Amino acid sequence: SSIAVDTLQAPTPPSSAYFSQSRKWVSFKIQHSAPQRVWYNKQNGVEEVKDGTSHGNNLENGVRRKKLAVFVSGGGSNFRSIHEASLGGSVHGDIVVLVTNKRGSGGSVYARDNGIPVVLFPKTKDEHDGLAPNDLVAELRKFEVDFVLLAGYLKLIPVELIRAYPRSILNIHPSLLPAFGGKGYYGMKVHKAVIASGARYSGPTIHFVDEHYDTGRILAQSVVPVLAKDTAEELAARVLQEEHWLYVEVTTALCEERIIWREDGVPLIQSKENPSEYR
């Protein structure tokens, strides 16, 4: 991968209480080279697809349309939200491949119904057709993937993939990290722990992925109240509703190359309407 680094003087953000006027920003644009796209038969963990979803490399305001890989383990409601936003035109990118560790997951069914190739990862005793880490990277290269979006994928991402896609893999977690994150904190377990703690607020976090569970740099969060008589299911539904719009908003910014990295390593989202503002 080639990394072009642009350093620029940041304009004054709306609140000087948090940022210094002399703060510098570093913008990283990751370009992944890959061979031309090919079609696959159902072998080696990749299922044949008759009709793809890519709209080509058309430009919007000088930005190339991005190609996305989404990873799911379950129903994939966030995957569906992003796909619908892509089809609707609000996301300047296309989901070109779905990766799952469960062949029969709801997300896999939705992908097949919509002509999106499905890749199995990792290889297990239950999924003999699953790919090894290096083979997974090779497949994503063949699909010319720009960014990887984890949407309810419960397996640890291999270091081979993280190194192949630096600062290009995002995950969504159903709590306000760094609270209630890490190994073992997933699904309803997170919401039960939040309620048991007495926390008054929760909400989804979108963060970049590193080699550990839920420890990568935080990119975006949304806050919801934890009500006095909440059940885990009620809290989960409230958080999930926030997840759907937040992940679409972040994916939109990602595809439009509006993720800005501060010199201390903190990623921020540049406003489309006002480039001098960040969130």
Side-chain angles (χ1 to χ4, degrees), residues 120-241:
L120 291 173
F121 176 82
K123 183 175 183 177
T124 65
K125 62 180 181 180
D126 296 322
E127 297 291 358
H128 300 290
D129 293 334
L131 300 181
N134 286 326
D135 293 330
L136 174 63
V137 172
E139 291 298 333
L140 296 186
R141 294 290 199 212
K142 290 176 183 177
F143 282 102
E144 301 178 347
V145 168
D146 295 294
F147 299 107
V148 174
L149 308 176
L150 310 184
Y153 186 73
L154 302 181
K155 297 292 185 180
L156 187 66
I157 299 303
V159 65
E160 292 89 346
L161 184 60
I162 294 170
R163 290 173 179 171
Y165 286 88
R167 289 183 169 179
S168 300
I169 306 174
L170 288 176
N171 180 51
I172 189 162
H173 183 77
S175 75
L176 296 174
L177 294 175
F180 308 105
K183 188 173 183 180
Y185 278 100
Y186 61 88
M188 207 59 66
K189 293 182 179 180
V190 173
H191 305 297
K192 289 179 179 178
V194 169
I195 291 173
S197 74
R200 270 39 174 190
Y201 296 95
S202 189
T205 298
I206 296 176
H207 65 94
F208 283 91
V209 175
D210 59 18
E211 298 176 14
H212 307 283
Y213 285 108
D214 305 327
T215 59
R217 289 289 193 171
I218 292 172
L219 179 60
Q221 293 180 314
S222 180
V223 177
V224 302
V226 181
L227 305 181
K229 296 184 179 181
D230 261 344
T231 64
E233 290 74 17
E234 290 169 337
L235 178 57
R238 196 176 303 120
V239 172
L240 185 61
Q241 186 175 6

Side-chain angles (χ1 to χ4, degrees), residues 70 72-81 98 105-108 110 151-152 244:
V70 179
V72 305
S73 291
S77 64
N78 277 303
F79 160 46
R80 300 180 192 208
S81 294
L98 180 86
S105 66
S108 301
Y110 177 86
H244 290 164

Side-chain angles (χ1 to χ4, degrees), residues 17-35:
Y18 294 97
F19 305 106
S20 166
Q21 290 185 6
S22 63
R23 176 74 71 184
K24 292 183 179 178
W25 308 80
V26 182
S27 174
F28 287 84
K29 297 180 181 180
I30 313 298
Q31 298 179 337
H32 303 290
S33 59

